[in-house]
Amino acid sequence: MKDAAPQPIYLSDYTPPAYLVDQVHLTFRLSPDRTRVISRIGFRPNPDAQGREFFLHGEGLEFIRAMIDGIEISPDITPEGLRAEVPDAPFTFEAEVEINPAANTALEGLYMSGGMYCTQCEAEGFRKITYYPDRPDVMGVFTVRIEGDAPVMLSNGDAITQGAGFAEWHDPWPKPAYLFALVAGDLVNHPDRFTTRSGREVALNIWVRPGDEDKCAFGMEALKKSMAWDEDVYGREYDLDIFNIVAVDDFNMGAMENKGLNIFNSSCVLSTPETSTDANFERIEAIIAHEYFHNWTGNRITCRDWFQLCLKEGLTVYRDSQFTSDMRSAPVKRISDVIDLRARQFREDNGPLAHPVRPASFVEINNFYTATVYEKGAELIGMLKRLVGDAAYAQALDLYFERHDGEACTIEDWLSVFEEVTGRDLAQFKRWYEEAGTPRLKVTDDFSDGTYTLHFSQETPPTPEQEEKLPRVIPIAVGLLGANGDEVQKTRVLEMTQAKQSFSFDGLASRPIPSILRDFSAPVILERETSNAERAFLLAHDTDPFNKWEAGRALAREGLIAMVREGAAPDAAYLDAIRMVARDETLDPAFRALALGLPSEDELAQSLHEMGHTPDPQIIWQALEALRNARAENIEGLARDLYAQHQVSAPYRPDADQAGARALANAALAMISRMDGGALAAKQFESADNMTQQLAAWSCLLQAGAGEAATRAFYDQWQEDRLVIDKWFSLQIVHASPEDTADTAARLATHPDFNIANPNRFRATFGALSMSPAGFHHASGKGYRVLADWLIRLDPLNPQTTARMCSAFETWRRYDQQRQTLIRTELDRILDTPGLSRDTTEMATRIRGV
């Protein structure tokens, strides 16, 4: 393997920029392979700087010339940027460079996507466009002129003027370079308007390729809902005369919040009932809201440095989660968020990629767009709100917006407004930002003379670079239930601050049954010895939707672990309890659909690992299949009733009510298909008039081993729709047998529609492989080899996507020695690749542990 690893950057080494920017004027003379970029930037010395070196970032630029105050200079050009002698006073720097968008397969900076020019500058892509202090604490006012033959030419802010072959844009709000955006191409718009609460008329547009105009209506409605919600809930009003969204096929992320010109992965904005599932619609609604909310929590107030990434992302994820809860079902949203948090962030927090919500160091910032920064960062906002209360939270946010508008801030700035509003000392709470790892919260209890006491202890296991952990502030929402199911203690938030702490409840007639960590009040792992009888009781009677669901999940998990470890039969208590929940018409259909879900293969593997057992992916898969079959047999009649009762006859709407009904009906269909060989699913596949029903039916047919004809029919119907064909690639791999998973992925990678350069298609194929544990971890090692082969091919083209997909290997230490050896071999092969990118080198090295 390589001896020298890329060198880290440390938060502790932060220094203010030597020079600040006032005005930025950019001219782009577009050409696919020879775009000329002319910059004119007004600089001034920073009085707070510790030095006066003038350095501008720049990568992959062909330098043409540079001037200071109109006089040509000969700067020192390196692969990292440009240095020059400059006046110790305000001055104007001008540069002219040439770049090659057509050759930019990394999709950072200015690149081409299907003949369209587009940009992605977060985190450090602007340095691939021109020479600039590419750091988020340097903010300037941008004016942009675009010259070319594209019919539509867009940039940030408001349009100044346009004519034959040019367009000019001006953004009056200072911004860092990572928020710069440019799009030019053959585009058509879906227009609308929004009137802000102060009466500002805002022109709205979703720009798409010709032929996609019919896929914009839902996205536009989601945007208008987001704008109204942010005014109503946070008092935040939009601040420009125009808001543009552009759909781009080739994009490394989901979307980007560039000021006034949001650039979206097509999969995150385009939708119709025929091509998008209910889950797609909900995701689109949430992502549009997320990027719009960034206008204040990310744009107007941005990050001082990239170590503060959670400052904008954690807060904005929390805000978009609030929005979805208000638009749809709050309990279902909360449960879904926790499922995702445990699947992605807990796994990250308990492995070689663990890092604090605010990292102390990084090699490549692109590798820290993680579940820890985003999802755990959002959980911290939720905990803070729970600790200080709704009123204080609202007051602190108002102060945050007022005090820091137009600034680049830190986590310290964020916490200080809460300290000022509440008078609390949040030094201990800050540990959540500074320490990695998921706390284990152990609970015991006792009851005596009408007093019930809960005894808590907290411990956070060691993580890479952090061995000893101090106690954290943990808000623990607790309710108590009586023997008849009545709530004898409504939800009370216990504030744990010590390593060990006890809380008592007095005046009780009998020993209660506790409902602990209601609404998942903190991102911890709860450890408490309990019985299946108590879990079944909570599933039946708990008034907290999350803990009601959690009780059923725990029942299923305990039964599955017994099946894996002891070869036990499916647990009768679980089968009885889940039948009761499934038939309870007082419960939201969407909640019942979630309750019918089972722990994932990865969740069970982690549980076994934490219990000191070596998980066998094949045996876990077999146990899950056995339980699914037993459950289908146990409630086949009820499943048929549920399927019939929850058919939606009204015209399709992607709202919560219809989506919940379809989710429950399709969960029932999955059980029925295990009994009838897919006969009912085949009928649904033929008659489906929306993608939710068609995809669910095809999934059931694949599971039943009867999907060959449907697979051909699905491709024939949708082969011209690039986003639907992503689903076609993914679902075949997900439903392949463990023996065939890797072979199916390898076969589909030779299909004419596979495109290694398109991140969506690559993720649809090899993401599906990595998320199928029994297949990916097949004892032969072929899953590891296939993924490593393709990551090595992808890295020279797109390091970001390559590095992120290396995380498929992060759990390798859970498994037996044979699998560990096979994975180490593939990681070493990746690391030995000549010219491996910084992104992938860092990720593979951290996972490998060398």
Side-chain angles (χ1 to χ4, degrees), residues 154 158 188-196 200-207 216-228 238-246 260-262 288 292:
L154 308 171
D158 295 321
V188 292
N189 69 319
H190 179 96
D192 209 326
R193 301 193 71 79
F194 181 83
T195 303
T196 70
R200 178 194 289 270
E201 285 288 323
V202 182
L204 309 177
N205 296 288
I206 297 180
W207 295 91
C216 301
F218 180 81
M220 183 61 77
E221 289 305 308
L223 174 59
K224 291 191 293 183
K225 288 179 181 178
S226 303
M227 298 175 80
Y238 188 61
D239 52 10
L240 291 169
D241 295 331
I242 191 168
F243 188 90
N244 287 315
I245 288 174
V246 183
L261 178 58
N262 285 188
I288 285 176
Y292 174 75

Side-chain angles (χ1 to χ4, degrees), residues 717-764:
Q717 181 180 359
W718 296 112
Q719 58 185 303
E720 301 303 323
D721 191 302
R722 56 202 183 277
L723 298 179
V724 177
I725 291 301
D726 286 338
K727 296 176 171 67
W728 184 80
F729 273 79
S730 182
L731 211 62
Q732 292 179 75
I733 298 164
V734 167
H735 285 294
S737 69
E739 176 66 36
D740 295 333
T741 305
D743 296 333
T744 302
R747 173 177 58 80
L748 286 171
T750 67
H751 192 278
D753 288 344
F754 180 78
N755 179 5
I756 189 175
N758 179 260
N760 287 352
R761 189 59 47 86
F762 193 91
R763 286 188 289 256

Side-chain angles (χ1 to χ4, degrees), residues 79-132:
E80 292 77 34
L82 173 155
R83 288 178 173 83
E85 295 294 326
V86 299
D88 190 18
F91 63 93
T92 299
F93 173 86
E94 297 174 77
E96 190 168 348
V97 302
E98 208 163 67
I99 56 178
N100 186 347
N104 184 359
T105 59
L107 312 184
E108 294 179 280
L110 179 67
Y111 64 93
M112 305 292 292
S113 175
M116 177 170 67
Y117 296 88
C118 49
T119 56
Q120 170 54 27
C121 294
E122 186 175 357
E124 296 176 339
F126 193 79
R127 63 191 62 187
K128 298 184 177 182
I129 292 175
T130 193
Y131 291 107
Y132 195 79

Side-chain angles (χ1 to χ4, degrees), residues 197 229-237 296 398 401:
R197 64 181 180 178
W229 185 90
D230 211 20
E231 288 185 351
D232 293 341
V233 178
Y234 279 86
R236 298 299 101 196
E237 184 176 330
W296 276 92
D398 286 343
F401 292 130

Side-chain angles (χ1 to χ4, degrees), residues 468-780:
E468 293 190 13
K469 314 285 184 174
L470 295 171
R472 305 186 193 181
V473 182
I474 303 177
I476 309 167
V478 173
L480 302 178
L481 303 178
N484 61 355
D486 291 342
E487 197 166 56
V488 297
Q489 169 66 59
K490 294 187 181 298
T491 302
R492 171 180 157 192
V493 177
L494 312 176
E495 189 171 330
M496 186 177 186
T497 58
Q498 302 169 26
K500 294 182 179 181
Q501 207 164 343
S502 299
F503 301 88
S504 295
F505 302 83
D506 300 323
L508 299 173
S510 60
R511 186 188 189 101
I513 294 178
S515 171
I516 304 172
L517 209 66
R518 285 185 156 185
D519 201 40
F520 199 66
S521 57
V524 301
I525 294 173
L526 186 65
E527 298 178 357
R528 175 174 175 265
E529 289 188 13
T530 188
S531 66
N532 277 353
E534 183 175 306
R535 295 185 182 106
F537 177 88
L538 290 171
L539 181 59
H541 299 291
D542 204 327
T543 56
D544 179 70
F546 175 80
N547 272 4
K548 178 184 281 287
W549 169 84
E550 179 82 311
R553 187 80 159 194
L555 263 178
R557 183 172 55 249
E558 293 304 309
L560 282 162
I561 287 173
M563 293 171 70
V564 170
R565 288 184 56 195
E566 305 160 17
D571 181 42
Y574 167 75
L575 295 174
D576 290 343
I578 211 65
R579 168 186 280 274
M580 178 187 65
V581 170
R583 74 194 320 166
D584 187 348
E585 292 294 329
T586 67
L587 296 174
D588 178 2
F591 176 88
R592 283 187 278 166
L594 278 174
L596 288 169
L598 290 172
S600 68
E601 295 172 57
D602 193 72
E603 180 181 343
L604 292 169
Q606 181 63 24
S607 295
L608 287 162
H609 176 67
E610 290 176 354
M611 294 167 65
H613 302 284
T614 301
D616 186 316
Q618 180 70 26
I619 293 175
I620 291 172
W621 180 81
Q622 289 170 348
L624 278 162
E625 283 294 289
L627 182 57
R628 291 185 182 111
N629 289 332
R631 187 176 61 179
E633 182 177 359
N634 182 262
I635 60 174
E636 181 183 9
L638 174 58
R640 290 188 178 276
D641 291 341
L642 290 173
Y643 181 81
Q645 291 166 8
H646 291 87
Q647 293 302 302
V648 178
S649 58
Y652 180 92
R653 297 191 314 274
D655 58 24
D657 289 342
Q658 280 201 12
R662 282 188 289 269
L664 184 54
N666 287 329
L669 180 64
M671 290 186 280
I672 295 166
S673 297
R674 289 179 175 269
M675 305 305 297
D676 73 354
L680 184 57
K683 292 180 181 178
Q684 178 168 308
F685 183 85
E686 291 299 322
S687 63
D689 63 356
N690 63 78
M691 183 54 65
T692 302
Q693 299 301 84
Q694 187 178 25
L695 206 66
W698 179 35
S699 177
C700 289
L701 289 167
L702 288 170
Q703 176 61 48
E708 187 174 345
T711 300
R712 290 194 302 269
F714 191 90
Y715 179 81
D716 290 343
Q717 181 180 359
W718 296 112
Q719 58 185 303
E720 301 303 323
D721 191 302
R722 56 202 183 277
L723 298 179
V724 177
I725 291 301
D726 286 338
K727 296 176 171 67
W728 184 80
F729 273 79
S730 182
L731 211 62
Q732 292 179 75
I733 298 164
V734 167
H735 285 294
S737 69
E739 176 66 36
D740 295 333
T741 305
D743 296 333
T744 302
R747 173 177 58 80
L748 286 171
T750 67
H751 192 278
D753 288 344
F754 180 78
N755 179 5
I756 189 175
N758 179 260
N760 287 352
R761 189 59 47 86
F762 193 91
R763 286 188 289 256
T765 306
F766 294 105
L769 168 61
S770 67
M771 291 186 291
S772 303
F776 180 61
H777 293 289
H778 190 269
S780 66

Side-chain angles (χ1 to χ4, degrees), residues 16 23 130 155 247 432 512 597 644 656 758 771 848:
Q23 300 287 334
T130 193
S155 191
W432 280 102
N758 179 260
M771 291 186 291
R848 177 66 170 80

